[in-house]
Amino acid sequence: MKKDSTLAFDVFNYAVQIIFTILCVYPFYYILIYSFSDPQEALKGVFLIPEGFTLVNYSTIFKLDNMFHSFLISVLRTVIGTLLTIACCSWFAYAVTKNELYLRKTVYRFLVITMYFNAGLIPWYITMKELGLKNNFMLYILPGAVVAYYVVLLKTFIEQLPQALEESAMIDGAGYFKIFTNVIFPLSMPIIATIAVFASVGQWNTWYDNYFLVSNDNLQTLQLILYNYLTDAQRIVSSSNMNDLNRGLASKISPDSIRITITMVVTLPVMLVYPFLQRFFVKGLMLGAIKG
Amino acid sequence: MKYKASRITLFLMVIPFILLVFVFNYIPLFGWVYAFYDYKPGIPLSQTEFVGLKFFKWAIEEREDLFRVLTNTLALSLLSILASPLSVIFAILLNELRSKKFQKLVQTLTTLPNFISWIIVYSLAFFMFSSGGLVNEVLMRLGWIDEPTTVLGNAAATWWFQTAITIWKSLGWGAIIYLAAIAGIDQELYDAAKVDGAGRFQRIMAITVPGVMPTFFVLLLLNIASVLSNGASGFEQNFVFYNSLVADKIEALDYYVYRVGITTGEISFGTAIGIAKSLISILLLFLMNALSKKVRGHSVF
């Protein structure tokens, strides 16, 4: 009797998991097979496998104006932004674990308050403009250099490292900076990896700073290019027609193929990177987060 | 002597980061003064008129607009708060899977949506649900519908659809924290319950559920404190799914501030509403924190 109810539960459980997993994955799979399908065949419907396998969609979108350039901008902002965030947050976190830091509690509170409080969209917009960050690459990386949440995670992690390591380094004559670079930073790799995932995915995904404050075509990120293509049907048709004419492919490309292939290109880095890093951040989160 | 010198270096090395925090998180607060002046873009603040609370009063006079926007904001927030136990249920179900490999796989695949931008979410939703999208295609082929319908432009379904999208994006991710909480439960409790003859359900209800309740409660309180923001991604979701067909049902507070403040140039009015929103949110946060202290004996932050 009891055994039966357990079996029924298992069946139910596996069914729920499989259905929800399919719901989560299928949209990505759909854009993948659509992007490899022949545009005309795809219009008739694509479900499980690519129809008329072709790379023409990819070769077309990389010939679109700005596509490659904005890909580079997105990569640059992700790499530089992530490195800067890690450097700033980890050093800051180390410093606030030191009792020797003057005003330690005040400094830490000053930071933590920003987690719960922000000025709002319009003051943010005006401030960025006044600071000269409009149409400036720095806009992408400077405001996110110190993130309170990351500092809290790092600080919690660093605090549980054995004190003795630091003390022995100090006896050997190392200063704070040296201890940080040679002892603390290498030991903090699990949580640094976690934050690297968050920060890089965040950088890759952010578009509103670009949308509000960057009009310069040379600084557009891939996300915004995608958004423009999604909302601006006219532009897709005219721009892809131009490419079609140039390359004698007049009837082959459809706006949907272009949109879907750009979506795929924007999604791909996240899809490739995060499954490998997931084990780090799951562990890192467990180490850092659950103090509530 | 040397000790003091190194303390000073330590402090000096923190100053750049304090400055960064000050510049990007505190200086914008000075922008709040715009709410008290009759500011027009292009004219310096020194030459504009101080109007005191005029724009706050204006906000109350515009109550019809504000009422509609607040209704949407609260509806969207409350629906997603009502959906929050789903993460707990999902985590418990995940934990009950016998195959750890399968558990890992499901967990990895279901957290993927959390890591994509709202623009990509919109793009995927567009290809699934627009009139020429996959769902319509399939339903038409099956003969279940004759005309394509689109949920993206359906005002009546907007709240539900947006909630469903939020669940899709955040459920797997939300479960991670509960899985961690479940992992922290003392295994001996389960063994003891087994010895006492408790079945699988009884063990879940008597041990796992109470085990994750504190975590659930904290996150719930934080969610309630941010109802006016529709959670962390409120504006972006609002922005990408906004269109004229669903405008009346989807426009939430942050989008309203954006629309009046930036697209129509009513900087002062938009700022005033933004301030009111921030103050109410902070008030809610303190209230929820106090509640947490009272109920659980320690505070959220």
Side-chain angles (χ1 to χ4, degrees):
Chain A
M1 190 62 199
K2 204 153 122 203
K3 213 168 199 174
D4 278 344
S5 82
T6 300
L7 181 69
F9 176 77
D10 275 333
V11 171
F12 165 79
N13 192 3
Y14 274 89
V16 168
Q17 309 284 351
I18 290 170
I19 291 169
F20 185 58
T21 306
I22 290 173
L23 284 179
C24 284
V25 174
Y26 185 75
F28 297 100
Y29 181 71
Y30 179 73
I31 61 167
L32 177 73
I33 56 175
Y34 201 112
S35 71
F36 283 114
S37 294
D38 181 83
Q40 296 308 316
E41 297 281 317
L43 287 176
K44 293 177 211 147
V46 183
F47 300 106
L48 288 173
I49 49 162
E51 302 289 338
F53 184 87
T54 172
L55 293 171
V56 69
N57 296 318
Y58 287 92
S59 63
T60 307
I61 66 152
F62 273 97
K63 293 213 167 69
L64 292 177
D65 296 340
N66 270 332
M67 187 57 70
F68 191 69
H69 191 81
S70 55
F71 185 82
L72 272 183
I73 292 288
S74 279
V75 169
L76 269 183
R77 101 170 261 181
T78 303
V79 172
I80 301 175
T82 305
L83 292 177
L84 189 71
T85 302
I86 289 172
C88 291
C89 292
S90 58
W91 169 251
F92 198 174
Y94 171 66
V96 291
T97 60
K98 297 273 117 264
N99 273 322
E100 293 79 18
L101 180 69
Y102 295 113
L103 302 172
R104 186 180 75 99
K105 277 208 169 124
T106 316
V107 168
Y108 188 59
R109 278 196 196 125
F110 179 77
L111 175 76
V112 170
I113 286 172
T114 66
M115 275 167 77
Y116 303 100
F117 206 60
N118 76 66
L121 176 68
I122 296 169
W124 169 81
Y125 173 78
I126 294 170
T127 310
M128 294 301 142
K129 238 161 94 173
E130 307 259 292
L131 288 170
L133 291 175
K134 199 170 180 189
N135 285 323
N136 183 338
F137 183 76
M138 290 296 141
L139 170 72
Y140 295 150
I141 56 172
L142 271 188
V146 178
V147 180
Y149 177 59
Y150 300 160
V151 176
V152 172
L153 287 182
L154 278 155
K155 175 182 175 270
T156 316
F157 185 89
I158 293 171
E159 270 169 352
Q160 52 86 48
L161 291 175
Q163 200 75 59
L165 285 168
E166 223 177 306
E167 278 160 13
S168 73
M170 206 160 248
I171 290 164
D172 289 343
Y176 288 115
F177 190 69
K178 199 149 195 197
I179 293 173
F180 171 70
T181 53
N182 292 5
V183 180
I184 302 296
F185 193 83
L187 284 174
S188 304
M189 269 309 147
I191 195 76
I192 303 257
T194 307
I195 286 161
V197 180
F198 289 168
S200 55
V201 171
Q203 283 287 4
W204 181 261
N205 282 339
T206 304
W207 53 270
Y208 62 86
D209 44 12
N210 183 355
Y211 177 80
F212 286 119
L213 287 155
V214 174
S215 49
N216 181 350
D217 278 347
N218 288 325
L219 286 174
Q220 300 295 341
T221 62
L222 209 47
Q223 300 282 346
L224 206 67
I225 297 275
L226 170 62
Y227 184 71
N228 289 337
Y229 275 102
L230 285 172
T231 50
D232 192 351
Q234 201 51 48
R235 182 160 155 179
I236 292 192
V237 174
S238 63
S239 152
S240 58
N241 278 347
M242 255 178 32
N243 276 279
D244 294 350
L245 286 176
N246 291 343
R247 300 173 56 249
L249 287 166
S251 64
K252 282 206 101 175
I253 307 300
S254 78
D256 270 357
S257 290
I258 298 284
R259 286 170 170 157
I260 235 165
T261 310
I262 300 175
T263 308
M264 192 62 218
V265 169
V266 182
T267 315
L268 197 65
V270 177
M271 282 165 71
L272 288 181
V273 165
Y274 109 97
F276 297 102
L277 296 171
Q278 203 207 18
R279 62 200 173 96
F280 287 116
F281 68 69
V282 170
K283 223 184 274 166
L285 268 187
M286 290 180 186
L287 290 168
I290 319 161
K291 56 167 196 153
Chain B
M1 195 58 204
K2 173 141 197 293
Y3 176 66
K4 177 123 197 211
S6 71
R7 282 192 76 173
I8 290 169
T9 7
L10 186 69
F11 190 69
L12 286 178
M13 287 167 105
V14 176
I15 285 178
F17 307 115
I18 296 176
L19 279 178
L20 276 175
V21 174
F22 182 73
V23 167
F24 292 113
N25 294 292
Y26 286 87
I27 286 189
L29 289 174
F30 293 108
W32 280 13
V33 298
Y34 287 102
F36 305 95
Y37 286 84
D38 198 355
Y39 179 75
K40 291 276 169 289
I43 304 165
L45 199 61
S46 54
Q47 287 165 35
T48 49
E49 192 193 345
F50 180 81
V51 293
L53 295 176
K54 177 184 154 191
F55 286 106
F56 292 90
K57 284 179 194 138
W58 190 11
I60 296 168
E61 280 156 20
E62 296 274 304
R63 66 174 89 72
E64 236 167 78
D65 250 7
L66 213 52
F67 184 74
R68 176 176 55 83
V69 169
L70 272 174
T71 311
N72 291 337
T73 311
L74 293 176
L76 289 165
S77 286
L78 287 179
L79 283 175
S80 75
I81 287 172
L82 286 179
S84 59
L86 286 177
S87 286
V88 182
I89 295 169
F90 184 60
I92 292 175
L93 289 179
L94 261 178
N95 190 56
E96 292 294 323
L97 285 176
R98 294 184 198 277
S99 158
K100 289 293 150 198
K101 269 216 174 110
F102 186 68
Q103 180 188 329
K104 194 105 215 178
L105 182 74
V106 170
Q107 208 192 330
T108 306
L109 293 176
T110 56
T111 45
L112 180 59
N114 179 66
F115 287 90
I116 57 169
S117 70
W118 278 102
I119 290 178
I120 296 173
V121 174
Y122 172 69
S123 180
L124 296 177
F126 180 84
F127 290 113
M128 292 292 134
F129 299 110
S130 65
S131 55
L134 181 70
V135 171
N136 274 313
E137 188 104 356
V138 170
L139 292 180
M140 300 236 292
R141 278 196 197 185
L142 290 172
W144 291 3
I145 52 168
D146 304 319
E147 294 266 291
T149 55
T150 170
V151 69
L152 294 166
N154 181 347
T158 297
W159 291 348
W160 305 103
F161 181 60
Q162 292 305 317
T163 307
I165 297 269
T166 310
I167 294 172
W168 178 80
K169 195 173 191 298
S170 60
L171 186 58
W173 177 249
I176 285 189
I177 198 119
Y178 295 117
L179 269 179
I182 293 171
I185 297 172
D186 192 349
Q187 199 57 43
E188 280 179 29
L189 287 174
Y190 289 100
D191 298 337
K194 230 182 213 168
V195 171
D196 289 343
R200 206 160 160 197
F201 285 114
Q202 284 169 313
R203 271 177 276 149
I204 292 173
M205 296 312 286
I207 303 170
T208 315
V209 172
V212 297
M213 276 327 261
T215 315
F216 177 71
F217 194 66
V218 170
L219 295 180
L220 182 70
L221 291 181
L222 287 176
N223 279 340
I224 291 173
S226 63
V227 280
L228 292 182
S229 307
N230 301 114
S233 60
F235 175 74
E236 296 193 18
Q237 182 177 8
N238 218 202
F239 182 90
V240 293
F241 281 99
Y242 187 91
N243 64 53
S244 53
L245 293 172
V246 296
D248 278 350
K249 287 288 177 184
I250 203 173
E251 188 178 19
L253 205 47
D254 283 329
Y255 192 92
Y256 182 64
V257 169
Y258 154 74
R259 193 166 59 84
V260 297
I262 290 186
T263 56
T264 63
E266 295 287 353
I267 298 269
S268 299
F269 182 55
T271 311
I273 294 180
I275 292 175
K277 188 203 120 175
S278 293
L279 292 181
I280 295 172
S281 298
I282 284 291
L283 195 71
L284 278 173
L285 185 68
F286 279 112
L287 262 171
M288 290 303 137
N289 194 42
L291 191 66
S292 157
K293 245 182 208 162
K294 200 156 197 178
V295 177
R296 297 181 48 235
H298 54 97
S299 57
V300 176
F301 54 86

